[in-house]
Amino acid sequence: MSKTPTPDSSAAKAAPSSSAATGKSMAEYAREFGLKPEEYDLVLTRLEREPNLVELGVFSVMWSEHCSYKSSRRHLRKFPVTGPRVLIGPGENAGVIDIGDGQAAVFKMESHNHPSYIEPYQGAATGVGGIMRDVFTMGARPIALLNALRFGEPSHPKTRRLVSGVVSGIGGYGNCVGVPTVGGETQFHAGYNGNILVNAMCVGLADADKIFLSAAPAPGLPVVYFGSKTGRDGIHGATMASAEFDEDSDEKRPTVQVGDPFAEKLLIEATLELMACGAVAAIQDMGAAGLTSSSVEMAGKGGLGIALDLDAVPQRETGMSAYEMMLSESQERMLAILKPGREPDAYRVFEKWGLDAAVIGWTTETGRIVLTHKGEIVCDLPLGPLSDDAPLYDRPWVQPALSPRIEADAVPAPADWSKTVLDLLSTPDMASKRWLWEQYDRHVMADTLADSATAADAGMVRVHGTRKALAMTSDCTPRYVQADPYEGGKQAVAEAWRNLISVGAEPIAITDNLNFGNPERPEIMGQIVRAIDGMAEACAVLTFPVVSGNVSLYNETNGVAIPPTPTVGAVGLLQDYDRRAGYGGLKAGQVLVLVGASTGELGASIYLRDILGREEGAPPPVDLAVELRNGLLVRSLILDGYTRVVHDLSDGGLLIAAAEMAMASKVGAMLTLSGDLPDHSALLGEDQARYLIALDQVDLDHLDSAAEAAGVPYEVIGQAGGCELAVQGRGGLLFALDLDDLSAAHEGWMPSFMDAPV
């Protein structure tokens, strides 16, 4: 156990730094570290003196957008964060929901966008490692992973390398740790050419009465570091994640962390065992901003202070400075506050799992963070300005320009329906991503019920030893958000809700990953504000609270922002996993029923963009009351055993839903269009709150009475059978395509793209 000098609350002595040698002022260093001139002036005001280099580094990472949410906190308060099953909402490492029987699900989504663009393998791998630490830090064993990936256009010279590296990083880390990757989404668009998105989500399982928090509970307790040694990788990673890119972005590779999944596996087991033995008073993983954020957050949340002896920090490189140790983002590290006298118990656990560990300090009553290095105090700062009193901006914003609604008759119908169907199924966004998810271990732990290979709208993992299962999904339609951030924000939440409903789950809560450009530009801030407004309204109406999340801003290169992408990760509960649904069980003779009303909305549709080359039009409006009614009816049909074949309608509308259902089931279908809508808008419109379900003929009477009681419109749209997907339009047969031809088009694009010669 290290001995450290008595904490001193006086002004810190000057830390060794290169400022004298370089001739740079602290104000110049502040600009290099990402602080605005007015923010540096605020540091001077708060301290009533000039900081030294270590202190400036601490301020710069804690006041970065990534750590402080200084541009978004004001608006994030709009989210509903409580609900009948919410145990812990935003503010901790992850959200916690009650799933009954004394059990809890713990989950969160976070971004690793900038690191993954600079160094795709390690950026994606450490994103997976980091999100798992957020979950097991709460006392939960990780049981499932998801990811939401957005890449540039396929023709861009970097896209294929980025796809390969990111997918390899996700698979390499998750597979080695032994947690299944059960779902996600992958999209391509030119808007991500200079700034890809890698959002990772983890779901864990814990006892509801054994959730661990990060706030330090009392002064005088030992602070123990355990896990991998600290190196120089990832220094100023949080600052890099809070700045836009330029043509020199590749030079930021040293700010990307390096992960070790085998060390993470040891860390998981050691952490859970340490918790089980009762030695932990508080705990925090070292993620963004490393030792700085973990120590500041633990002491700050507890209203206490903390003193650390940096000489005691396990180091893998020689001659590390206090600045480097505090800002390093080396992976697979934890910081715990132990109960009095429990150090021997903790060291037995660390020795068993082969982890480096050291008591590096203690909690205090000072309300300050005091760092000692080589016998000198190198940092002495009040905690208030670093966390609760960090800058909070009310950024100016303008109402986003909204795309006008496009009438169906202003969109030409396909001249060749067969070609259009095959082309749609082979577009980058709609094509099968089998090449990608086959690189992930989806069945390790032996509890996976549905994953990317399963024809279901959400991944599902059994709660081991019970009849329960957790359903999980991630969703966003960036082209909708681009056209109308408010409606697009509502739709992202509504689609996640529909995906859980479609497998028979009770939707419980969401996590989010808000990916946007530079919030200092009023038009980008307008996207952020209005998307949050729409999401908050959807969460409130659907009783779908936000329990955790992440904001990733400054996603742009040379002033060109990504499409606004507020990704929603959602978790639901199935009480009996035998009563689950998917869209791959279609049987010959069953009738196909379209639940929900159709108005043929073609604005911002896949057909308009990928077939006609027009990125325009208002997205389909989202009526949340209709979403609620329609979804609850569909879920009741699943739970009562009337249907096990359900697919929600989203990209590509009825046509794509029917094609995916037929291909997954290896059973054809004949659809017959009726009503007043033009054939192409009836088939390709992307109206919301709709589901395609399959029923036995004898169950139509029950559907009729249940739908009438619920006030939900429906239409018998076709019948299953044969080996073709065919559609009868109002003027005759539109097309009849063999399922083998559909599957060939659907499966062919991704391997062809990835295997093509450079």
Side-chain angles (χ1 to χ4, degrees):
M1 177 175 172
S2 302
K3 294 182 179 179
T4 56
T6 303
D8 183 355
S9 61
S10 62
K13 299 176 184 178
S17 73
S18 59
S19 58
T22 62
K24 289 183 183 178
S25 68
M26 282 298 161
E28 290 173 306
Y29 274 115
R31 284 194 294 274
E32 285 185 15
F33 293 172
L35 290 174
K36 305 288 185 186
E38 60 271 21
E39 291 175 337
Y40 181 65
D41 290 342
L42 188 58
V43 170
L44 298 179
T45 300
R46 298 279 168 83
L47 292 185
E48 298 182 340
R49 62 176 174 84
E50 187 175 66
N52 63 41
L53 196 66
V54 177
E55 294 170 332
L56 184 62
V58 169
F59 265 105
S60 70
V61 291
M62 292 307 299
W63 283 13
S64 69
E65 194 76 55
H66 191 81
C67 291
S68 72
Y69 291 178
K70 56 192 174 186
S71 298
S72 58
R73 282 204 322 271
R74 184 181 302 273
H75 299 284
L76 295 176
R77 294 168 183 161
K78 301 171 185 175
F79 285 143
V81 297
T82 60
R85 289 187 177 271
V86 175
L87 298 178
I88 296 176
E92 277 296 334
N93 289 288
V96 185
I97 57 173
D98 183 0
I99 62 170
D101 306 311
Q103 295 177 305
V106 180
F107 62 100
K108 189 181 183 183
M109 176 180 280
E110 277 206 344
S111 61
H112 235 221
N113 303 334
H114 284 49
S116 298
Y117 183 78
I118 296 169
E119 176 49 65
Y121 184 96
Q122 290 295 349
T126 52
V128 173
I131 197 61
M132 281 196 287
R133 286 194 298 280
D134 281 336
V135 166
F136 70 76
T137 299
M138 302 289 293
R141 180 171 293 279
I143 61 170
L145 295 165
L146 299 91
N147 53 74
L149 312 177
R150 269 90 188 180
F151 297 104
E153 58 191 335
S155 61
H156 191 274
K158 288 187 176 181
T159 298
R160 194 141 39 105
R161 179 183 66 84
L162 290 169
V163 172
S164 178
V166 166
V167 172
S168 296
I170 292 170
Y173 205 100
N175 295 355
C176 290
V177 173
V179 178
T181 299
V182 302
E185 53 184 338
T186 303
Q187 298 172 343
F188 297 83
H189 189 272
Y192 304 105
N193 280 350
N195 201 125
I196 66 173
L197 301 184
V198 175
N199 298 168
M201 177 175 169
C202 182
V203 181
L205 189 65
D207 290 336
D209 61 350
K210 294 183 176 67
I211 302 299
F212 288 80
L213 305 180
S214 57
L221 299 180
V223 178
V224 63
Y225 169 122
F226 66 100
S228 297
K229 289 183 171 71
T230 293
R232 291 187 170 96
D233 54 321
I235 292 175
H236 266 298
T239 305
M240 180 268 290
S242 305
E244 60 187 84
F245 282 158
D246 55 28
E247 60 275 1
D248 299 322
S249 60
D250 283 351
E251 296 178 7
K252 298 179 180 179
R253 188 167 282 108
T255 62
V256 178
Q257 311 92 326
V258 178
D260 180 349
F262 299 104
E264 181 96 344
K265 176 61 175 172
L266 297 175
L267 193 63
I268 292 173
E269 301 305 330
T271 301
L272 296 179
E273 185 170 330
L274 184 67
M275 292 168 168
C277 80
V280 175
I283 190 165
Q284 175 78 40
D285 76 299
M286 292 190 222
L291 187 54
T292 293
S293 64
S294 57
S295 56
V296 167
E297 289 175 12
M298 293 177 82
K301 287 179 182 178
L304 300 173
I306 193 166
L308 303 180
D309 174 13
L310 299 184
D311 295 321
V313 172
Q315 301 162 53
R316 68 166 181 260
E317 299 184 48
T318 58
M320 290 192 71
S321 67
Y323 173 89
E324 291 170 328
M325 281 186 275
M326 290 304 294
L327 271 65
S328 168
E329 293 186 9
S330 295
Q331 297 292 285
E332 295 88 37
R333 301 181 300 158
M334 304 287 283
L335 199 65
I337 296 172
L338 300 181
K339 295 177 181 178
R342 300 302 299 270
E343 296 95 324
D345 298 323
Y347 277 118
R348 279 193 290 271
V349 173
F350 303 144
E351 184 176 358
K352 172 183 175 180
W353 294 102
L355 298 179
D356 287 291
V359 173
I360 65 170
W362 62 87
T363 57
T364 70
E365 295 179 321
T366 65
R368 307 178 73 86
I369 179 170
V370 178
L371 308 177
T372 306
H373 187 226
K374 296 182 178 179
E376 291 191 341
I377 293 176
V378 296
C379 172
D380 186 346
L381 296 173
L383 286 169
L386 296 175
S387 51
D388 294 340
D389 199 24
L392 175 60
Y393 294 122
D394 187 4
R395 301 271 191 204
W397 63 278
V398 296
Q399 176 69 40
L402 305 181
S403 300
R405 185 175 183 272
I406 294 179
E407 299 293 339
D409 58 11
V411 178
D416 183 337
W417 268 102
S418 294
K419 181 179 185 302
T420 296
V421 173
L422 296 176
D423 286 349
L424 268 176
L425 287 172
S426 59
T427 58
D429 279 7
M430 301 309 302
S432 166
K433 304 304 184 298
R434 180 183 300 274
W435 178 93
L436 182 153
W437 49 251
E438 280 187 340
Q439 300 184 49
Y440 305 150
D441 190 332
R442 307 181 306 281
H443 297 282
V444 65
M445 301 178 77
D447 282 319
T448 302
L449 298 172
D451 60 73
S452 304
T454 309
D457 286 317
M460 285 179 277
V461 175
R462 179 174 52 198
V463 178
H464 197 72
T466 75
R467 302 295 304 170
K468 297 182 297 188
L470 293 173
M472 53 208 74
T473 185
S474 104
D475 294 285
C476 183
T477 310
R479 63 183 188 279
Y480 290 175
V481 191
Q482 184 82 59
D484 185 336
Y486 172 70
E487 288 295 332
K490 284 199 295 184
Q491 193 273 342
V493 174
E495 185 173 351
W497 191 84
R498 282 200 306 272
N499 282 339
L500 297 179
I501 287 286
S502 295
V503 299
E506 171 198 354
I508 295 178
I510 74 167
T511 181
D512 60 59
N513 205 141
L514 307 181
N515 307 275
F516 292 90
N518 185 344
E520 297 168 50
R521 295 165 53 194
E523 66 274 19
I524 299 298
M525 197 64 214
Q527 293 176 343
I528 297 168
V529 171
R530 292 302 286 154
I532 289 174
D533 288 343
M535 295 173 70
E537 182 179 339
C539 289
V541 174
L542 299 175
T543 315
F544 210 24
V546 179
V547 297
S548 61
N550 172 245
V551 177
S552 175
L553 306 182
Y554 296 94
N555 288 290
E556 54 184 75
T557 299
N558 293 325
V560 179
I562 61 163
T565 312
T567 308
V568 172
V571 173
L573 176 67
L574 295 93
Q575 295 290 352
D576 182 352
Y577 55 72
D578 278 346
R579 294 195 293 173
R580 66 187 187 274
Y583 58 84
L586 188 63
K587 297 177 182 176
Q590 288 186 314
V591 291
L592 295 172
V593 176
L594 178 60
V595 176
S598 300
T599 58
E601 296 289 338
L602 288 168
S605 66
I606 282 284
Y607 172 67
L608 195 66
R609 187 190 74 182
D610 290 355
I611 300 301
L612 300 182
R614 295 165 53 184
E615 293 195 50
E616 59 183 285
V622 179
D623 187 321
L624 294 166
V626 172
E627 289 280 1
L628 194 60
R629 284 199 300 271
N630 294 6
L632 293 180
L633 170 67
V634 169
R635 184 166 182 260
S636 73
L637 294 172
I638 296 170
L639 296 183
D640 293 340
Y642 289 100
T643 182
R644 290 286 183 265
V645 184
V646 178
H647 201 359
D648 86 303
L649 270 62
S650 54
D651 289 348
L654 174 62
L655 173 62
I656 293 299
E660 290 177 342
M661 186 178 285
M663 288 187 293
S665 307
K666 296 182 170 54
V667 174
M670 167 64 83
L671 305 185
T672 302
L673 304 179
S674 59
D676 299 328
L677 292 178
D679 291 341
H680 69 297
S681 61
L683 272 179
L684 297 164
E686 297 181 4
D687 310 274
Q688 300 296 289
R690 297 187 300 162
Y691 303 80
L692 184 63
I693 69 174
L695 296 166
D696 293 336
Q697 186 79 36
V698 297
D699 292 327
L700 282 176
D701 287 344
H702 173 81
L703 170 64
D704 190 64
S705 60
E708 183 178 4
V712 174
Y714 75 91
E715 178 185 359
V716 176
I717 198 75
Q719 188 166 25
C723 57
E724 292 182 328
L725 177 65
V727 176
Q728 183 76 26
R730 293 185 303 171
L733 184 70
L734 297 183
F735 67 87
L737 288 166
D738 189 276
L739 296 185
D740 288 342
D741 293 333
L742 293 177
S743 295
H746 187 54
E747 297 286 349
W749 181 81
M750 189 84 188
S752 175
F753 169 63
M754 294 306 298
D755 294 343
V758 178

